[in-house]
Amino acid sequence: AGAETVKRAVELDLASRFQESLVCYQEGIDLLLQVVKATKDEPKKHHYRQKISEYMTRAEDIKKHIEKEKQDGKYHKQIRIEENATGFSYEKLFQEYLTEIVSEVWVEDPYIRHVHQASRYLLYNFLRFCEMLVKGPCKVKTIHLLTSYDEDSRRSQQISGLEEIQQSLKNCGITLNVAYSSSIHDREIRFNNGWMIKIGRGLDYFKKPQGRFSIGYCDFDLRPCHETTVDVFHTKHTKKM
């Protein structure tokens, strides 16, 4: 298993898919270390240790390369969230990019609507996202939300819900600016340190919990997800049209 994982790492490395390659190298090294512990044949142990050393060196080189791409703004990371996958809370997706200098956030999502719309927890999802920003380590002062209006019958509930979030954020020293557009389709989140995250389903990639007392209701890391793709870019490396 260790050899197959490392072989996959090398293939991804040669294809310049460095982020995925690094994960495979790390998993393969861990598996090979277990083999070394269980092997009594000294020549085999020596061979495995030599290979592990080579793979560790390459993994460190890839880490440095990825870090340099981040610093240069030439970094593109893609995460594929499978149907019913868990472990993809907002903290897991965004914390890496929420550095201490982040003070302003832009959220463009057409479906930040009423909590019961299509049985989805859309306003709650946005509230959860805001809670993450409040906790830091960033020092967010302003959040800009661009979304679309709910259906006429629920528009007042949508507005009142966002106003409640707005007031609650104000108590935390954060200003929420809300704007509405009837033509918005893209889903995008930007931070003023240059990082931009595009999620196929926007913030609404969590499935409805099975019940109010089911695992995953409170902890989003335990909440099953809908299938979606997350792309992370830096504005230094994006073209403006």
Side-chain angles (χ1 to χ4, degrees):
E4 286 299 317
T5 305
V6 169
K7 180 182 177 182
R8 178 60 177 159
V10 172
E11 291 172 352
L12 292 166
D13 192 352
L14 293 172
S16 298
R17 293 166 63 180
F18 299 119
Q19 191 75 37
E20 296 168 84
S21 174
L22 180 59
V23 172
C24 286
Y25 271 124
Q26 291 169 334
E27 291 178 358
I29 289 167
D30 287 341
L31 290 169
L32 290 177
L33 284 171
Q34 292 175 29
V35 172
V36 170
K37 287 181 181 179
T39 301
K40 295 181 180 180
D41 188 317
E42 286 301 323
K44 281 186 177 181
K45 272 192 175 184
H46 177 74
H47 173 73
Y48 284 130
R49 284 171 179 156
Q50 190 175 25
K51 286 296 181 183
I52 288 169
S53 178
E54 292 174 8
Y55 297 140
M56 288 178 73
T57 299
R58 180 54 189 159
E60 285 301 316
D61 289 341
I62 291 175
K63 276 185 185 178
K64 291 175 183 176
H65 175 75
I66 291 172
E67 189 58 37
K68 188 176 185 303
E69 283 196 327
K70 285 183 179 180
Q71 292 173 358
D72 294 343
K74 298 177 180 179
Y75 175 79
H76 173 210
K77 179 179 181 179
Q78 185 174 82
I79 302 167
R80 295 182 180 89
I81 300 177
E82 302 293 336
E83 185 77 7
N84 290 318
T86 57
F88 292 97
S89 65
Y90 295 145
E91 283 82 1
K92 287 288 177 64
L93 285 188
F94 298 112
Q95 284 287 2
E96 183 180 350
Y97 311 100
L98 286 171
T99 57
E100 292 184 0
I101 66 170
V102 173
S103 60
E104 197 165 7
V105 177
W106 290 263
V107 178
E108 295 184 11
D109 193 322
Y111 300 115
I112 305 297
R113 297 181 177 178
H114 185 243
V115 65
H116 297 301
Q117 190 259 348
S119 298
R120 295 177 182 176
Y121 289 69
L122 303 174
L123 277 176
Y124 281 142
N125 286 346
F126 180 64
L127 175 60
R128 185 79 177 193
F129 176 79
C130 292
E131 288 175 337
M132 176 194 66
L133 297 176
V134 170
K135 287 193 295 186
C138 56
K139 307 297 181 185
V140 173
K141 296 298 180 185
T142 308
I143 301 171
H144 305 275
L145 171 64
L146 178 63
T147 189
S148 60
Y149 277 117
D150 207 337
E151 298 172 2
D152 290 341
S153 60
R154 290 174 176 162
R155 183 173 297 184
S156 62
Q157 293 171 310
Q158 176 194 17
I159 293 171
S160 64
L162 286 171
E163 286 177 346
E164 191 172 338
I165 295 174
Q166 195 172 40
Q167 182 58 50
S168 186
L169 284 168
K170 186 178 180 181
N171 295 338
C172 297
I174 300 175
T175 300
L176 172 61
N177 297 319
V178 182
Y180 298 92
S181 169
S182 59
S183 59
I184 179 176
H185 295 290
D186 291 341
R187 297 167 175 86
E188 179 177 295
I189 295 169
R190 302 189 308 277
F191 306 131
N192 67 321
N193 61 353
W195 289 110
M196 177 170 60
I197 295 93
K198 290 177 174 285
I199 308 175
R201 297 184 62 96
L203 292 174
D204 182 36
Y205 60 86
F206 295 106
K207 289 194 169 183
K208 179 186 175 184
Q210 293 182 349
R212 289 182 296 170
F213 300 101
S214 60
I215 296 298
Y217 186 88
C218 297
D219 189 338
F220 275 32
D221 268 324
L222 300 175
R223 179 82 67 87
C225 299
H226 292 286
E227 182 179 353
T228 193
T229 301
V230 182
D231 287 283
V232 182
F233 306 91
H234 196 282
T235 52
K236 287 182 182 177
H237 199 57
T238 56
K239 293 182 180 180
K240 293 183 178 179
M241 301 298 288

